Amino acid sequence: MDVFAAIKGRRSVRSYKDLEVESDKIEKILEAGRLSPSANNRQEWKFIIVKDAETKKKLGRAAMNQSFIGQAPVVLAACATESKAVMLCGHPTYAVDVSIAFAYMLLEAYELGLGTCWIGAFKEDEVKSILGVPKDARVVALSPLGYPGTHAVLRPRKSLDEITCFEVYR
Ligand SMILES: Cc1cc2nc3c(=O)[nH]c(=O)nc-3n(C[C@H](O)[C@H](O)[C@H](O)COP(=O)(O)O)c2cc1C
């Protein structure tokens, strides 16, 4: 599958089959994160793979009771091991680095026939306590991972005209 096909075909999946995810597929998804770019090649990230049913349920509860999270065979948590660095442009490095890596991982999951859904609506303190994430680390995103159940809907996008301009911001 080429990159554009993955970008075009991926959807947020909120229903999962009760089927295990093969460990070689999980490894390949993690490898996609490992190979991702980061500012100064810092790689200040840690990806947690959760399969324990009780922990997954707790994560779902910490994420505004989005119960489909706990129903997936795997939940991934994307963490930053450090959160103080700020780029010259003023943006926190960790949020950008970890988001790029997680986006790559979710695209790789799609290539492998697996569904994911970026989860940003969660109480970070609760997730940190459930997963034993240290105080200075941050949890940037969660995602369920598994074989898609029902067909995921195609969400609309703005047109190119609406989101692009040439030479200067208009
Ligand atoms: C930063 C971010 C946070 C998101 N948080 C949630 C979430 O908490 N729950 C959820 O169901 N979907 C969440 N989504 C998924 C978006 O709703 C979804 O990507 C968007 O509606 C477009 O649909 P698509 O992913 O199927 O193309 C999030 C996506 C992003 C990028």
Side-chain angles (χ1 to χ4, degrees), residues 11-117:
R11 311 263 180 280
S12 290
V13 172
R14 298 182 179 85
S15 145
Y16 293 90
K17 287 188 180 143
D18 188 14
L19 258 183
E20 254 192 63
V21 179
E22 300 86 338
S23 49
D24 59 319
K25 289 196 173 183
I26 294 177
E27 201 171 305
K28 197 154 182 217
I29 291 164
L30 296 171
E31 188 66 359
R34 191 181 75 83
L35 295 173
S36 300
S38 57
N40 284 109
N41 202 22
R42 289 158 21 99
Q43 306 166 66
E44 295 276 6
W45 44 45
K46 180 88 82 177
F47 306 105
I48 308 176
I49 302 99
V50 180
K51 292 184 185 176
D52 179 76
E54 198 47 44
T55 311
K56 287 186 296 170
K57 260 190 226 155
K58 283 185 194 163
L59 290 173
R61 285 199 287 268
M64 317 286 288
N65 290 313
Q66 300 184 79
S67 56
F68 64 91
I69 297 170
Q71 284 153 12
V74 179
V75 177
L76 299 172
C79 306
T81 51
E82 179 286 333
S83 61
K84 291 200 169 56
V86 175
M87 291 179 284
L88 191 60
C89 59
H91 296 299
T93 313
Y94 81 90
V96 177
D97 286 348
V98 175
S99 293
I100 291 171
F102 209 42
Y104 280 23
M105 290 165 69
L106 303 197
L107 277 182
E108 179 53 30
Y110 176 76
E111 185 187 35
L112 297 170
L114 293 161
T116 57
C117 181

Side-chain angles (χ1 to χ4, degrees), residues 7-14 63-64 66 68-69 99 116-122 140-142 152-157:
I7 291 170
K8 209 170 170 195
R10 184 214 54 83
R11 311 263 180 280
S12 290
V13 172
R14 298 182 179 85
M64 317 286 288
Q66 300 184 79
F68 64 91
I69 297 170
S99 293
T116 57
C117 181
W118 190 296
I119 302 292
F122 60 86
V140 176
L142 303 172
V153 287
L154 175 63
R155 301 292 313 276
R157 291 294 193 266

